Each structure stands twice: as C-alpha cells, then as structure tokens.
Amino acid sequence: MSEHANHSEKQQLEGLTSRYLRATIIFIIASFLVVFLLGVSISVGVTDIQLQTVWEAVFAFDSSLTNHQVIWELRLPRALGAALVGAFLAVSGAVMQGLTRNPLASPSIMGVTHGAAFALIVAIVFFPTISNSGMTISAFIGAGLGVILVFAVGSFSKGGLTPVKLALAGVAVGGMLSSLSSAISLHFQVAKQMSFWYAGGLAATDWVSVKILLIAGAVGLTLAFIISRAVTILSLGEDVSKGLGQNTLVAKSLGIIVVFVLTGAAVSVAGTVGFIGLVIPHVTRFFVGTDYRLIIPVSAVFGSLLLVISDIGARLVNAPYETPVGAITACIGVPFFLYLARGEGRGI
Amino acid sequence: MNQKRLPIVLGALTILLVTVFILSLNMGVVKIAPLDVLRTLFGQGTEKQNLVLFDFRLPGMIIALVIGAGLGVSGAILQGVAQNDLADPGILGINTGAGFAVILYIFFFQESMARVTGFGLYILPVFALLGAFVAAILVYVLAWKKGVNPVRLILVGIGINAGFSAALIIFQVKMNPQDFNQALVWLAGDIWMSNWNLVFAVVPIIILMILYTIYKSSTLNILNLGDQMSIGLGAAVEKERRTLLLLAVGLAGLCVAAGGGIAFLGLVAPHIARRLIGPRHEQMLPVAALTGALFLLAADTIGKNIIAPAEIPVGIVVSIVSTPYFIYLLMKTQ
C-alpha cells in the first residue's frame, strides 16, 4: 500500500518536473522567436532594412547613418513596445481568468480598455496641455475605473460572476463608457483622433512609452509571479483556496492591481488592442497545463509573439497604409471567442 | 386584474406620449408655444411655423416614435426567443451588422453621408436590412449545436458584435474627418435624416411588422415556457423561433437604417412593459411598443435641447440613461 503510494507520488513528481521542463523549453523557443521577430519587425517598413543593418544599428550604432537613426528612433521602440504590450495584455488576461475562474475574462471584454479610453479623452479635452505622463496616469485611472465597475457589477450580482454575466457586465460598462467618450469627442471635435487611438496601434510608440512600459512591467509582472501560486489555488475554487488557508482577499486585491497596472500601461501606449488577453491564456493552458506559475511567464512570451506578429501584419496587409492592429488581433480573437462561446473549449 | 389594467396603462402611456410630442415640437432653436403648435398642426400656422414644424421637426419625431416602438418590439421578441431577459438587438450584434453594411455602402458608393438622397434613400434601408440579416444568420448558425441554446446565443452574439466592430473600425479610420464624424454620430444612434421620404420608406413596413408580431403573441407565450414545455404543447419550436427571429431582425435592421445604432432601448422597453402589465405578450407587446416610442422621443428631445444649439446623438442619451438600468437588471437576475 505504502509502496503504491510512494510509487504514485514519484510518478506525480516526475509528471511535475517533466511539465516544468516542457514549459521551460517552450518558453525558451518562444523567446528566441520573439527576438527574431523583433528583428523582422524592425527591418520591414516604408523602406525595408536588411536584418544585418538592424543588428549593427543595435549593437554598433553609427549616428551618421540614416537607417541607423530610423531604427533607433522609430522602429526599435515600436517593436519593443509591441512585445511589452502583448505580454502585459496576455498576463492580465491570465490573471483575470484565474481569479474569476471565467474563461471569457479578459481586459477588452471587461470594459477595462473602454475605461482607459474614456479617461484619456476626458484628459485630452479638459486638460489640453497635458503631458505624456499625465495621459498615462489618466489611462491608469480609467482602467482602474473599468476594472472596479465590472468586478463590482459581477460581485453584487445574484449567482456571482458567471461567464455570461461577466460578458454582459463588460458589454454594459464598456457601452456606457464608450457612449460617454463619443459624446465628449463629438462635442469637442476630437473624434477622429480618438478613433485612431480606439483602433489600436503602435505607430506612436517612442522611448518615453517604452520607459513607462518597463516601469509598469517591473511592478506588474513581478507581482503577477508572486501571486501565481495563489492564483492556481484560487482557480480551483474559492472553497479549496480557503480550505488550504489562503487569504483569498489579499490574492484577489493583488490580482486586481496587476490587471490594473499592466492593462493601464498597455492601453495608454497602444490604445485598445483586443483579444490578446482572451486568447493567449487559453493557448498557453493548452501547452503547459493549469499551473499559473507556468501559465504566467509563458503567456507573457506568447503575448509578445502575437502582438509583434500582428504589428508586422498591420504594416504589411495594406502597405503603405497601416491597418489598425486591433483589427488584426480581432481577426484571430473573434473566431476563438466564438469557439469558446460554443462551449467547445473547457469551462463554459 | 391585468385585463382591467391594460386600458389604463395604454391610456396613461398615450397621454404621456402626446405631452412629450407637443413639448418636443415646441422646443428647439425656434420656440413655438404649445397652443401655436396645435394651431399649426391643424393648418392655421404662419409660414415660418409651418416650415419649422412640418419640414424640420415632425418627420424626425415620427421616425423617433416608430423606431422606438420597433426596437421595443424587436427586443421583446429576442428576449422571448432567447429566453433571456438581457437580450437586445445591440447586444446580439444585429445593430453592428446593419451599421457595418451601411458604412460599407457609404464608403464604396457615396462620396459622403450628407449626399445620400433620392434613390440612395431607399437603398440604404435595404443595405441595413441585409447587414442585420447577415449578422443574425451568423449568430444563429454559429450558436447552433443540436438546437440553439439561449446562453450560447447571447455569447455568440457578443462575439459577432466584437467582430463587426473591428471591421467597422478599419473603414472608419479611412474616412475623411467630416464623413468620419457623421458616421460616428450615426453609429452612436441618430435620427439622421428627418425628411418625409424616409418616413414613407420605412414607417409603414415597421408598423406592419409590429402588428404581425402582436398577432403572433401566443407563439411567443408558448416559447417563453421553455423548449421542453413548448415541444410538449406541439409547437414546431425551431420553425416558429426562426420566423420570430426574422421579424426581430427585420425590425432592428429597419430601425438601424433610420436611426443608427441605438443600443439598450430594445432591452429596457420590454422590461418596463413587463413591469407595467405582466409577461403575456398580447398585452406586453403593445405596451413595449408605446414605451419604446415614448423613451426614444423623450431621449431625442433631450439630446436636441440639453446643450442646444449643439446636439447629442439620441443613441448616446438612450445609452447613458438605460445602462444603469441594464446593470441593475443584470445584478438582479439569476
């Protein structure tokens, strides 16, 4: 009997290490792909630049060469911005899905991005002299507003946060905030500017944005790793979590801070880029299982991968014009959402 | 009890409606006193009063009334069919589908929204209808899995809605700023063309469809009992459901053609109606139609006057007023 127990424990342990090993390998391969695609992303554009020049510009910068300047001032921050924003959205989505045990949870479905958009437009209209960092702060506040509203609607509901309720709460809060945004932007005639922002895009990413992203990432991603174990346990159910002596309130509050910091930063830089936060955690779970200690880092890299590819696509699909990157991620995200909604994924 | 209540409810709503109607006719940049409004309506007005009332205000208000009623009934059908109190043509992606088709039409065939006249005026509702049907068919087909489950219907609708929104954005950012603004106003919900031609183009069809829906109210009552019950009662559930969906989509499509993407009205009107008169459709549908009409006319009046001379699109007023109610419903229902 005890031999048998030992045996199965050993098996479990082996299963665990093999899963860790597998996740690590996936993580490393995906990271290499991201780095390679960053190079590709930097090299394609109005004028194509050879990968070798990209390499030289990064590691042996020569300020007398125009190409080097273009790479350093425009394309490198943009590519890095895409990678970071993708990672942030994916991790936010993963944390949201874990905390709510809801497969449809994600920043774009849940009114978070609309909240940020609303705050931004208020800032632009009422404080026209606002600085870049001021705009970022207002996006943060708005994202927070969205998160709090949707979670509040969900948690005050009879029967709790079911997938349908969460989706509907997101639609309602998002709809309300975007109506207010359109009213303000129409009245103050900034609608066209807003639309570009709404469409999502990385064209305006500069080094300042990258700095903001790096700071937010340092806080948000670290916190996400810290709570990853708690999220795994919470994803098994509130009762299990309490039974194991976890303080679910602390884990949930920290989780909301993660979502709020990461989404706020992502949205303030790239506008509304939907579906990454929805799709990537599911794809990741398919590869690495249900342990959030693995899901969070791997989601981050997969998210980077998806947004860097989408951003390259945004520039190539209808060159020389840019297609809104949000539309490209939606092309991937909508069919996936429908697949989940049909109940063919797990959990609904 | 309800039998006696119906005339009272209908009477009260009609009185409110007439009051708002006269108030709305009287308000605006050119004020016309209520008595003068009545006098003008009966053909005794000055030339200027005639012009303002008959050429500018009246057509828009008639359209507001009719599409308010249409959206109310469309929402009532969808809620009955989806057996979900939170269904609405906006949430199911039907509005966005119609909006997308109209934007495509304007993008490819017209130089600008302002120039849609004559023939285009009749083509536009056709495009909106087509878009609404394409969206609805997509939702229906994708939600189909050995039948259509109400939860799946709503979730698939939300997905389709997101898809059309993304597609819309691609075309929107390519428009010139002026067209873009007009498109945005229209997508937010706006009775964009208040002239008699549009009234003649859409109003009779909407009214006929509303009447036909009321005629079908017993079927809706049966569907409301749930699938098993209604199959037991011998209704060809899937077929009836499809006919009713066609009606709901047709109504929503026409309303979008005339009034843009007005969200949440189709949701709220039937709820208020149910509160007032109970769930039986032969009574609830007329009340929902009147409630929708009243709601939209009031919202239109508010939107036109609250920050006059600027206007707020009516759909935005509707959305700001009714979202809190929607959220309240969401929190209350199981």
Side-chain angles (χ1 to χ4, degrees):
Chain A
M1 180 77 187
S2 82
E3 204 174 299
H4 181 71
N6 263 340
H7 187 62
S8 83
E9 208 168 90
K10 201 176 155 201
Q11 255 183 346
Q12 238 177 5
L13 204 68
E14 270 170 7
L16 201 69
T17 31
S18 80
R19 245 187 295 141
Y20 269 87
L21 192 65
R22 199 169 134 186
T24 315
I25 293 169
I26 291 171
F27 184 86
I28 292 169
I29 294 174
S31 303
F32 271 113
L33 263 177
V34 170
V35 173
F36 171 69
L37 284 166
L38 280 177
V40 174
S41 169
I42 295 168
S43 77
V44 296
V46 183
T47 50
D48 283 344
I49 300 171
Q50 281 192 328
L51 271 179
Q52 195 184 340
T53 320
V54 175
W55 180 270
E56 285 165 7
V58 175
F59 295 101
F61 180 64
D62 181 349
S63 64
S64 64
L65 296 173
T66 333
N67 272 352
H68 280 203
Q69 279 182 347
V70 167
I71 289 172
W72 198 254
E73 290 307 320
L74 298 173
R75 296 202 185 165
L76 188 58
R78 176 177 187 158
L80 287 175
L84 290 168
V85 168
F88 291 6
L89 292 172
V91 170
S92 295
V95 170
M96 279 174 146
Q97 289 174 12
L99 287 181
T100 58
R101 271 174 293 134
N102 187 324
L104 292 179
S106 73
S108 53
I109 299 289
M110 297 189 43
V112 181
T113 42
H114 286 297
F118 171 68
L120 267 182
I121 194 154
V122 169
I124 292 169
V125 166
F126 294 104
F127 308 96
T129 54
I130 195 167
S131 64
N132 259 347
S133 47
M135 281 177 55
T136 310
I137 292 168
S138 54
F140 274 120
I141 296 171
L145 183 80
V147 176
I148 291 164
L149 275 176
V150 174
F151 268 101
V153 172
S155 35
F156 286 121
S157 296
K158 271 190 192 169
L161 270 174
T162 62
V164 189
K165 283 234 161 133
L166 194 73
L168 284 171
V171 170
V173 171
M176 171 94 168
L177 290 168
S178 71
S179 290
L180 287 170
S181 304
S182 346
I184 296 172
S185 66
L186 281 169
H187 190 64
F188 294 94
Q189 297 176 343
V190 289
K192 184 85 182 174
Q193 279 143 273
M194 267 324 273
S195 80
F196 280 107
W197 189 85
Y198 247 109
L202 293 141
T205 320
D206 53 14
W207 283 110
V208 178
S209 343
V210 174
K211 256 184 224 159
I212 292 170
L213 287 173
L214 284 174
I215 296 167
V219 179
L221 293 178
T222 314
L223 258 182
F225 289 131
I226 293 173
I227 61 166
S228 58
R229 192 172 162 271
V231 176
T232 311
I233 296 170
L234 258 174
S235 71
L236 300 172
E238 199 124 342
D239 297 338
V240 178
S241 167
K242 278 183 187 146
L244 287 172
Q246 254 206 355
N247 189 337
T248 55
L249 191 68
V250 171
K252 277 190 178 174
S253 315
L254 288 178
I256 289 177
I257 293 174
V258 168
V259 170
F260 156 71
V261 170
L262 293 182
T263 318
V267 170
S268 75
V269 168
T272 58
V273 180
F275 292 104
I276 290 185
L278 176 80
V279 175
I280 292 295
H282 287 277
V283 175
T284 310
R285 267 193 293 270
F286 175 76
F287 281 108
V288 304
T290 52
D291 187 341
Y292 278 82
R293 278 172 294 182
L294 304 178
I295 292 175
I296 286 175
V298 176
S299 286
V301 194
F302 280 180
S304 295
L305 205 56
L306 178 58
L307 194 54
V308 173
I309 294 172
S310 302
D311 186 44
I312 296 172
R315 279 174 284 164
L316 294 185
V317 169
N318 188 19
Y321 303 104
E322 286 212 13
T323 308
V325 73
I328 302 217
T329 54
C331 286
I332 305 161
V334 169
F336 193 79
F337 181 93
L338 291 173
Y339 169 81
L340 288 176
R342 278 174 62 84
E344 283 165 20
R346 283 165 304 155
I348 301 185
Chain B
M1 173 193 109
N2 280 344
Q3 292 294 340
K4 277 186 204 150
R5 215 162 143 184
L6 186 64
I8 302 174
V9 170
L10 288 180
L13 280 173
T14 313
I15 292 170
L16 269 174
L17 207 56
V18 172
T19 317
V20 175
F21 194 81
I22 291 174
L23 274 177
S24 177
L25 270 175
N26 133 58
M27 292 210 282
V29 182
V30 182
K31 299 249 184 304
I32 303 174
L35 267 181
D36 284 339
V37 168
L38 284 178
R39 210 170 290 147
T40 315
L41 283 181
F42 291 110
Q44 311 273 309
T46 64
E47 203 171 309
K48 188 181 167 197
Q49 285 168 342
N50 273 333
L51 182 78
V52 170
L53 284 195
F54 287 111
D55 289 354
F56 295 139
R57 282 186 205 158
L58 211 48
M61 289 168 53
I62 291 176
I63 289 172
L65 283 176
V66 174
I67 63 180
L71 284 171
V73 171
S74 174
I77 302 174
L78 290 176
Q79 289 172 15
V81 171
Q83 290 164 48
N84 188 322
D85 286 356
L86 300 173
D88 160 275
I91 289 176
L92 285 175
I94 294 167
N95 283 356
T96 328
F100 180 60
V102 170
I103 294 292
L104 272 190
Y105 170 71
I106 287 160
F107 192 81
F108 286 115
F109 298 111
Q110 296 279 336
E111 281 159 51
S112 88
M113 301 255 314
R115 291 203 209 147
V116 182
T117 46
F119 188 56
L121 209 60
Y122 295 90
I123 295 288
L124 202 72
V126 175
F127 261 77
L129 267 182
L130 275 178
F133 277 110
V134 169
I137 290 167
L138 275 175
V139 173
Y140 191 80
V141 168
L142 289 169
W144 180 276
K145 198 170 144 189
K146 297 178 205 145
V148 173
N149 158 314
V151 170
R152 212 158 48 225
L153 195 69
I154 298 259
L155 285 176
V156 169
I158 291 173
I160 293 292
N161 201 359
F164 274 116
S165 306
L168 260 174
I169 285 215
I170 296 182
F171 287 94
Q172 258 182 296
V173 292
K174 286 185 181 172
M175 290 178 153
N176 68 49
Q178 204 197 340
D179 272 0
F180 173 82
N181 260 0
Q182 275 172 325
L184 188 70
V185 168
W186 182 80
L187 286 168
D190 188 47
I191 296 157
W192 62 287
M193 268 270 226
S194 26
N195 66 44
W196 291 104
N197 283 337
L198 189 68
V199 175
F200 295 133
V202 297
V203 167
I205 311 173
I206 292 181
I207 290 180
L208 279 177
M209 289 171 101
I210 292 176
L211 291 176
Y212 185 69
T213 311
I214 296 174
Y215 168 72
K216 295 289 279 182
S217 44
S218 59
T219 319
L220 271 170
N221 288 339
I222 294 172
L223 277 179
N224 241 6
L225 298 172
D227 277 6
Q228 262 158 6
M229 198 69 142
S230 42
I231 291 169
L233 286 170
V237 181
E238 220 41 69
K239 192 174 150 256
E240 293 289 355
R241 198 180 268 169
R242 232 169 283 155
T243 319
L244 284 162
L245 271 177
L246 278 180
L247 268 176
V249 174
L251 278 170
L254 283 173
C255 293
V256 174
I262 298 168
F264 291 114
L265 184 65
L267 183 115
V268 173
H271 274 276
I272 298 176
R274 247 175 258 132
R275 281 265 162 109
L276 291 172
I277 198 76
R280 289 178 53 202
H281 283 89
E282 57 273 33
Q283 299 179 344
M284 192 270 261
L285 288 172
V287 177
L290 279 185
T291 315
L294 176 65
F295 200 130
L296 197 60
L297 186 62
D300 191 42
T301 313
I302 293 171
K304 286 212 164 77
N305 293 294
I306 197 165
I307 51 166
E311 289 183 14
I312 304 175
V314 62
I316 290 178
V317 180
V318 172
S319 166
I320 291 171
V321 176
S322 53
T323 319
Y325 187 64
F326 175 76
I327 289 173
Y328 163 77
L329 287 174
L330 186 68
M331 298 208 278
K332 245 190 50 184
T333 41
Q334 275 290 350

